[in-house]
Amino acid sequence: MVIHDLCRWPLVISTMSGTVTNQEYLDFLAAWGTWLDRGERFASLRRFTDAASLVHPQGSAKEAKKWLQDNGARIRSHVVGLVTVVPAECLEAASRMDAEKLFGVPALTCSDLDQGLDWIATRFEQIGLSPVP
């Protein structure tokens, strides 16, 4: 299951739980497209609640690669920070993916939600953005 919370825009919080289906993954990419279409700067906090939610659906790598190629410039232009929060037991493996290099934006991978929120708050402060209280 994938749930997006935009009530604190320009902070988007996405929560993934359990096995993510191909359709949910495609919907996730489409949601990102709509946020990028706004033409506004924002930050993303992606929260994976369990190990199963970190597994990409079979066959999704090709679609993800194409989507990232098509949207990479928009991501670098609009996304001010990307936090990935994972269960503590998954942190070492998740940290091997260099999100900063992959997406071209400041990024943090951690296992503590409060740490991720603090990191985003610092990013917002550095660039003069603030989420809706």
Side-chain angles (χ1 to χ4, degrees), residues 42-117:
F42 69 97
S44 171
L45 186 143
R46 302 176 307 157
R47 182 173 178 233
F48 296 87
T49 63
D50 50 42
S53 62
L54 285 161
V55 178
H56 289 266
Q58 187 173 1
S60 67
K62 183 178 178 183
E63 183 69 31
K65 183 178 179 179
K66 180 184 179 334
W67 186 89
L68 188 56
Q69 287 172 339
D70 292 346
N71 291 282
R74 294 191 324 148
I75 291 169
R76 290 185 295 279
S77 176
H78 300 310
V79 179
V80 300
L82 176 64
V83 172
T84 304
V85 179
V86 300
E89 65 273 12
C90 302
L91 182 59
E92 184 179 335
S95 294
R96 291 186 197 122
M97 184 193 80
D98 187 346
E100 256 184 61
K101 183 177 179 181
L102 180 63
F103 296 102
V105 300
L108 171 72
T109 301
C110 63
S111 61
D112 182 78
L113 180 60
D114 289 334
Q115 179 186 4
L117 290 168

Side-chain angles (χ1 to χ4, degrees), residues 1 5 7 11 13 15 21 28-30 33 38 40-41 47 50 62-63 66 71 75 77 92 94 122 132:
M1 174 175 32
D5 179 353
C7 70
L11 173 60
I13 300 173
T15 303
T21 66
F28 180 77
L29 295 178
R38 289 182 177 206
E40 302 171 8
R41 297 188 314 169
R47 182 173 178 233
D50 50 42
K62 183 178 178 183
E63 183 69 31
K66 180 184 179 334
N71 291 282
I75 291 169
S77 176
E92 184 179 335
T122 299
V132 173

